[in-house]
Every structure is written in structure tokens, then in C-alpha cells.
């Protein structure tokens, strides 16, 4: 008995040690970014690089955020994230529910084609997307920036995995009571899917906030740039101001952390329900 307890304690200690090691590895890049954001411009280039700034340069933050119009960049990223998350949550819920609950001829073929489309790398679709938006006159416009981001194939699949687990008896009982298909979806399925929708909404927000390639390709004017593209502006061809770039990156991370803290109680539940572990 004592040996079993000792073995369990040893396994628990090893688990804690492994979790601490993984957390430390994941935190190192973040701590390095914060440390660099407080260094002087030439202190960053020292070899070997210092781990902490000799004299923290707090002015890097206001100077970095005023060198470029970051207030406008943050507003643009907020608009893009708002429309992207709203569009993807709505289309994800509707598409996932249709794939999971409706029965029709060729259902398996449609789902197989959908899975095939899901496996196409996003970079392959970059040029067709640009040509389509350009043909519609959407280059360097907010509509062109968000219009192709309103549907997420991965989000539809994630919500489909949740709605598949919803018991048939629930909607059968609603139909017996005279509920329409829309009522079943809106009054029963969507409330049950709140944790999964919140989890997907968080992932959609993170993807929209840190998107770089599409905003870089589709925008031309400085007034439509997003935060990620603005941060990259500190890195030129022959010169890079690393402290300013890291200071802007730390500031850009704050909205993501705030949204995560607001939705974290739904995330674990949503991951369990959708089987994303």
C-alpha cells in the first residue's frame, strides 16, 4: 500500500515537473519579447545578448506607438476582428448544424468534398482570393479586407463535431411540441453550443488579430493597415528597430490576453465538448 502511494506521488511529481518545464519553454519567448521591448536600441545588438535591460527604457512604448499611426492600426484590427468573428461564428453554427443534423441525398459525398476542401493549404488560395477581390474592386478597402474571412472551413467542421453529439431525442421532442426547424436550431441547439461557439470565437479572434499576409497583400494605404502589418513596418531592408517592434508587439498582445481572460471559463468546456484535445 505504501509503495503504491509512493508510486502515485512520484508520478504526480513527475507530472508537475513536466508541466512546469513545458510552461517555462512556452514563456521564454514572451519574457524575451518583454525584455527586448525595454532595452536600448544598441543594447539589443550586444553579443552575448543581455537577458534583462541594464536600464529599462519605458519610453520605448509611447515612442513606438506614436512613430506610426498605431491608434488607426488598432482600430482597423478591431473592425476586422469584429466582422471576422461575427461572420465565422454565424456561418460556423449554421454550416455545422446543417452538416451534423440534416439528412439528404449525397450527404456522404458532400461531406467528403468538404473534408477535401479543408485540406487545401490556405496559401494556395491566396492568389485566387486576391484576383477575385481585385475583380470586384475590393483592393485597398475594408470590405476587401474582411469579405473573404467571413467563413471558416475549420470552424464549420468544429461546430459540426459538436452538433453530432447532440442527442436526437432533444429535437424529436421539440418537433412533437410543434417547433419548427429554425426554432430547434435557435432555441435549443445554439444555447447548448455556447461553450463551443465561445471557444471557436476565441480562436477566430486570435487568427483575425494576428493575420499578416492577407492584410499585407490586400491593402495599399497606411490608413487601412492592421496592427501586425504596422509592427512589421519597424523592420526595413537595412535597418530594424527591435525595441520599438517588441514594444508594439507587447501592446498588440494585450487585447488577445483580455479576450482570453473573458472567455476562458468557456474554453475548457468547449474543447471537451468538441473533442479538440
Amino acid at each position: 500500500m505504501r509503495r503504491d502511494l509512493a508510486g502515485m506521488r512520484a508520478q504526480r511529481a513527475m507530472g508537475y515537473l513536466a508541466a512546469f518545464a513545458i510552461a517555462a519553454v512556452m514563456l521564454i519567448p514572451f519574457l524575451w519579447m518583454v525584455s527586448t521591448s525595454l532595452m536600448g536600441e544598441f543594447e539589443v545588438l550586444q553579443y552575448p545578448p543581455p537577458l534583462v535591460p541594464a536600464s529599462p527604457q519605458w519610453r520605448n512604448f509611447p515612442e513606438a506607438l506614436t512613430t506610426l499611426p498605431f491608434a488607426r492600426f488598432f482600430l482597423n484590427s478591431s473592425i476586422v476582428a469584429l466582422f471576422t468573428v461575427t461572420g465565422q461564428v454565424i456561418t460556423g453554427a449554421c454550416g455545422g448544424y446543417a452538416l451534423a443534423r440534416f439528412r439528404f441525398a449525397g450527404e456522404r459525398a458532400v461531406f467528403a468534398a468538404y473534408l477535401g476542401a479543408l485540406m487545401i493549404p490556405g496559401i494556395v488560395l491566396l492568389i485566387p482570393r486576391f484576383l477575385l477581390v481585385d475583380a470586384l474592386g475590393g483592393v485597398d478597402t475594408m470590405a476587401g479586407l474582411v469579405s473573404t474571412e467571413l467563413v471558416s472551413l475549420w470552424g464549420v467542421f468544429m461546430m459540426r463535431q459538436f452538433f453530432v453529439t447532440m442527442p436526437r431525442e432533444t429535437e424529436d421532442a421539440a418537433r412533437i411540441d410543434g417547433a419548427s426547424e429554425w426554432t430547434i436550431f435557435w432555441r435549443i441547439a445554439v444555447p447548448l453550443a455556447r461553450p463551443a461557439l465561445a471557444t471557436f470565437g476565441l480562436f477566430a479572434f486570435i487568427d483575425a488579430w494576428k493575420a499578416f499576409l492577407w492584410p499585407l497583400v490586400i491593402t495599399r494605404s497606411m490608413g487601412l493597415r492592421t496592427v501586425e502589418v504596422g509592427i512589421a513596418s519597424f523592420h526595413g531592408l537595412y535597418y530594424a528597430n527591435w525595441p520599438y517592434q517588441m514594444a508594439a508587439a507587447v501592446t498588440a498582445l494585450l487585447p488577445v490576453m483580455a479576450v482570453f481572460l473573458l472567455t476562458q471559463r468557456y474554453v475548457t468546456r468547449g474543447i471537451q465538448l468538441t473533442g479538440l484535445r
Side-chain angles (χ1 to χ4, degrees):
M1 186 65 181
R2 290 182 176 177
R3 289 183 178 178
D4 293 340
L5 289 175
M8 293 176 61
R9 289 173 179 171
Q11 289 181 356
R12 184 178 299 177
M14 292 296 294
Y16 285 138
L17 185 62
F20 178 79
I22 294 173
V25 170
M26 296 180 70
L27 280 174
I28 286 175
F30 174 75
L31 297 176
W32 184 268
M33 179 176 66
V34 175
S35 176
T36 304
S37 69
L38 296 173
M39 291 183 183
E41 189 174 353
F42 298 103
E43 188 179 9
V44 177
L45 304 177
Q46 293 179 1
Y47 186 83
L51 296 178
V52 295
S55 177
Q57 304 294 317
W58 295 102
R59 67 174 187 277
N60 287 344
F61 285 86
E63 290 180 357
L65 298 179
T66 54
T67 300
L68 293 173
F70 265 92
R72 183 66 195 181
F73 296 161
F74 272 92
L75 177 62
N76 292 337
S77 289
S78 300
I79 295 173
V80 171
L82 175 64
F83 280 97
T84 300
V85 172
T86 303
Q88 291 189 7
V89 168
I90 293 175
T91 55
C94 295
Y97 184 79
L99 286 175
R101 311 307 292 186
F102 292 163
R103 297 291 175 263
F104 51 89
E107 175 189 348
R108 290 181 179 273
V110 170
F111 187 62
Y114 175 82
L115 290 179
L118 191 63
M119 296 177 187
I120 299 175
I123 191 67
V124 176
L125 302 176
L126 181 64
I127 295 178
R129 288 169 63 194
F130 177 81
L131 294 177
L132 176 62
V133 174
D134 185 33
L136 296 174
V139 174
D140 202 29
T141 65
M142 186 59 72
L145 192 57
V146 301
S147 58
T148 62
E149 306 292 329
L150 300 179
V151 179
S152 168
L153 295 178
W154 179 82
V156 173
F157 178 76
M158 175 182 167
M159 294 311 303
R160 185 252 181 201
Q161 294 302 101
F162 169 79
F163 286 123
V164 163
T165 63
M166 196 173 75
R168 285 279 177 186
E169 292 78 8
T170 304
E171 54 185 297
D172 290 340
R175 288 195 183 93
I176 292 173
D177 291 338
S180 64
E181 292 299 329
W182 173 255
T183 302
I184 295 173
F185 169 71
W186 185 248
R187 296 290 181 85
I188 298 175
V190 171
L192 289 175
R194 281 176 184 169
L197 289 173
T199 303
F200 171 55
L202 174 63
F203 292 155
F205 175 80
I206 294 174
D207 286 342
W209 192 264
K210 67 181 181 64
F212 174 75
L213 187 57
W214 179 247
L216 177 67
V217 169
I218 204 66
T219 58
R220 298 286 186 276
S221 57
M222 187 66 76
L224 279 174
R225 296 290 189 182
T226 58
V227 171
E228 292 295 323
V229 180
I231 292 174
S233 300
F234 287 115
H235 197 101
L237 183 60
Y238 301 106
Y239 173 76
N241 193 319
W242 292 107
Y244 281 14
Q245 193 169 9
M246 292 299 108
V250 171
T251 308
L253 192 60
L254 297 180
V256 177
M257 296 177 66
V259 172
F260 176 76
L261 291 175
L262 290 174
T263 59
Q264 63 173 337
R265 63 173 179 156
Y266 295 104
V267 172
T268 305
R269 179 65 174 161
I271 290 175
Q272 290 175 347
L273 292 174
T274 53
L276 290 178
R277 289 173 294 175

